Amino acid sequence: MACSASGGDAARAAELLQGARRVLIGAGAGLSAAAGLSYGGERFARNFAPFIEKYGMTDMYSAGFYPFPSEEARWGYWARHVWVNRHEPDALPLYRALHAFARERDGFVVTTNVDAQFEKAGFLPERLFAVQGDYGLLQCARSCHDALYPNRELVARMLARTEDCLVPSELVPACPVCGGPMAVHLRVDGRFVENAAWRAAQKRYRRFVEGVEREPAVLLELGVGWNTPGIVRFPFEALARATGAPLVRLNYDDARLPEGVPGVGLQGDIAELWPLIMSAAGRGKL
């Protein structure tokens, strides 16, 4: 979909964002898709041709739920998924542009994305709450303990030795405590690990939200759909209603603001909408 926002909507969004000294950013999968990390189409076909042929996979999202017949098969897929979405990409231009805007302001980011693009673009870790985890970490699949383990080196070795979509048995990770299977640190069920660092980030996020009630702020919502609306979309609407903080919503599919929510919604490709807004703010394309 091409950008469908009106010039008036872009000007209104630019006015709100340009004057904001405090900004709460909420981001979902649509932002990373707009930035270039799409989970389907040509990018999926290019990176997962052997898996498409072997398993009939159609996209990375649904492939994440595939009933793999073995741990060797499961990690054959997940090693590549983690690599192409977390370790391989550098900070993407759209995220760099957002950082150029946010670094001049008192801000905080809450995101359901697990690709670490905010960190790569320069957002401070202490101003970021990644609610759903991080592809770059492993946890015990049974959550028998709450330690998390960086996986870049292991994933690279898996990719180097993958044959017929399978990794060697000796590379399949096992929990160092219970000996059971390991999993990517991604919220898929109630066994997702929320350790001390996760809880500290949650506390910092709540503190920033409480500050919105005392100091003027703008809520900037980017690419948040209906998969998990209770994490960002609904809370941002409720916060806007309760405090009067305007909500600027950018979304490819549904940018409408419910009645009583102050702000403006722009529908279209965020990679096109963001430069349009910045241009309307008199700052040029970032």
Side-chain angles (χ1 to χ4, degrees):
M1 176 188 295
C3 174
S4 62
S6 71
D9 288 341
R12 174 59 176 156
E15 178 186 11
L16 293 171
L17 293 171
Q18 188 177 39
R21 301 315 308 162
R22 303 183 76 243
V23 60
L24 177 59
I25 298 174
L31 174 60
S32 283
L37 296 181
S38 61
Y39 272 27
E42 185 277 333
R43 182 170 180 263
F44 176 63
R46 171 167 38 89
N47 285 289
F48 291 89
F51 298 87
I52 295 170
E53 181 178 357
K54 184 170 184 176
Y55 300 117
M57 293 175 172
T58 58
D59 61 87
M60 280 182 258
Y61 180 79
S62 62
F65 300 95
Y66 191 88
F68 294 100
S70 66
E71 285 294 287
E72 290 81 1
R74 183 166 73 92
W75 284 107
Y77 171 78
W78 274 103
R80 180 155 296 279
H81 183 110
V82 167
W83 187 261
V84 302
N85 291 305
R86 172 63 169 85
H87 296 307
E88 182 180 54
D90 195 0
L92 298 168
L94 181 55
Y95 277 91
R96 292 184 187 274
L98 288 169
H99 180 252
F101 160 77
R103 70 186 176 192
E104 302 175 3
R105 293 162 171 81
D106 177 18
F108 199 96
V109 175
V110 57
T111 182
T112 56
N113 295 342
V114 293
D115 49 33
Q117 276 293 311
F118 281 106
E119 297 98 314
K120 291 181 179 183
F123 285 82
L124 297 176
E126 59 267 26
R127 290 301 184 103
L128 174 63
F129 181 29
V131 182
Q132 303 291 68
D134 184 342
Y135 275 154
L137 301 170
L138 297 183
Q139 67 162 76
C140 173
R142 301 168 180 167
S143 65
C144 76
H145 67 298
D146 65 3
L148 299 174
Y149 305 88
N151 63 29
R152 184 186 180 100
E153 181 181 345
L154 175 61
V155 166
R157 285 190 284 132
M158 286 178 171
L159 290 178
R161 298 185 59 190
T162 297
E163 295 184 10
D164 190 28
C165 301
L166 305 172
V167 302
S169 297
E170 62 267 25
L171 291 183
V172 172
C175 175
V177 176
C178 72
M182 297 288 279
V184 175
H185 187 231
L186 172 66
R187 189 187 301 275
V188 294
D189 56 31
R191 293 170 292 185
F192 174 77
V193 167
E194 298 177 358
N195 63 4
W198 188 96
R199 293 191 296 272
Q202 181 188 53
K203 185 175 182 180
R204 291 191 295 269
Y205 168 52
R206 288 175 173 172
R207 189 181 304 123
F208 193 92
V209 168
E210 291 168 359
V212 173
E213 300 177 358
R214 300 187 298 270
E215 301 178 59
V218 172
L219 312 179
L220 176 58
E221 183 191 291
L222 303 163
V224 178
W226 294 101
N227 191 24
T228 53
I231 296 176
V232 175
R233 192 177 183 105
F234 292 164
F236 270 42
E237 291 176 356
L239 185 61
R241 281 196 185 97
T243 67
L247 171 60
V248 177
R249 170 173 284 164
L250 277 58
N251 198 288
Y252 187 83
D253 293 316
D254 186 357
R256 296 170 297 173
L257 298 187
E259 185 176 352
V261 175
V264 61
L266 287 78
Q267 185 166 329
D269 186 337
I270 299 174
E272 298 178 15
L273 290 173
W274 188 254
L276 181 65
I277 293 169
M278 292 296 100
S279 179
R283 298 181 54 183
K285 295 184 178 181
L286 296 179

